[in-house]
Amino acid sequence: MLAEALNFAATYALSGRRHGSEINSSVRLWARARRCASDWAPHEENTRAFILDAVKDLRQRRTAVVLGSGLLRDVPIHALAATFDTVVLVDLVHLASVRFGLALARRRNVRLIERDLSGYDQLAAGEEPEPLAFLRQVPYLDLVVSANLLSQIGLGVKRRLATEPIGSVPEDALSRLIRAHIDGLAQLPCRTCLITDVRFSVIDRTGHLHETVDLLHGVSAPEPKARWQWQVAPLGEESRDYRIVHEVIAV
């Protein structure tokens, strides 16, 4: 608990957004990742390997952007920083633990941007959401990675919708924002990688499947090049009686 409190306090002091709930969510994820390190390791390795495979045949390696960089556990940041002239990490929150780790590694060509990538504010204002339009202004862009972000957009939007008056946001907000992210990646004039969990299953200790939930809210993802399972909550993490397994695709 002390480590979490220190990470929260340092992140709050360094963050430009200063949204305590957002920082708290990131700190909780950081703590879970530490507790579940062995169960998360195959997923993190698969993600890093897929990103590096996408880089191998790039003719130019000037600027790479990682959307949803998060804890950097699933991002091969040191390989990217050694390969590209500039690496831009974009997320709602950059924890102090991530900032200090990059500073210690002396990755001076890595830039951090705090940004809401959901497109929610555009949709709420009656505009067509284009959450990735800002990438058109990035010069010499050769790679964009969406790293385990897409399903988090849906979760974050659901939380925001719960606080809004009924009818203030279109009923199809979730699916429109998820589709806008997928379409935005497809429209970029560079190499892109989409890595996302698409559904999760609740499985008891006998192996019986109790529930499966669509994390993309009915939106069809592009045909994946790779697929694997992510043990997000092993037995004992949320319950002694069940575990939660996410299905991940990489495009």
Side-chain angles (χ1 to χ4, degrees), residues 89-217:
L89 306 179
V90 188
D91 213 327
L92 202 59
V93 173
H94 297 289
L95 289 178
S97 54
V98 169
R99 294 175 184 269
F100 293 152
L102 290 172
L104 288 173
R106 298 186 178 183
R107 294 303 183 186
R108 296 187 175 89
N109 62 333
V110 177
R111 307 286 182 264
L112 304 181
I113 295 177
E114 295 177 345
R115 190 180 183 93
D116 181 355
L117 293 165
S118 70
Y120 182 92
D121 290 335
Q122 289 177 304
L123 191 63
E127 304 170 10
E128 191 61 31
E130 291 188 283
L132 304 187
F134 74 100
L135 291 173
R136 299 171 192 157
Q137 310 304 318
V138 178
Y140 311 116
L141 186 59
D142 294 313
L143 176 70
V144 174
V145 177
S146 176
N148 297 296
L149 166 67
L150 190 56
S151 66
Q152 295 304 305
I153 290 175
L155 292 173
V157 169
K158 284 183 71 175
R159 286 194 292 267
R160 294 184 69 173
L161 286 174
T163 66
E164 300 284 357
I166 296 175
S168 62
V169 178
E171 292 183 2
D172 60 350
L174 284 168
S175 58
R176 285 177 65 183
L177 293 174
I178 289 171
R179 172 53 61 190
H181 188 88
I182 294 173
D183 290 345
L185 282 176
Q187 292 163 9
L188 292 173
C190 65
R191 176 73 53 82
T192 63
C193 290
L194 170 63
I195 303 162
T196 181
D197 38 354
V198 294
R199 64 183 57 86
F200 74 80
S201 300
V202 179
I203 305 169
D204 69 20
R205 58 174 57 252
T206 69
H208 178 70
L209 175 63
H210 284 264
E211 181 183 15
T212 298
V213 176
D214 175 16
L215 290 170
L216 299 190
H217 300 276

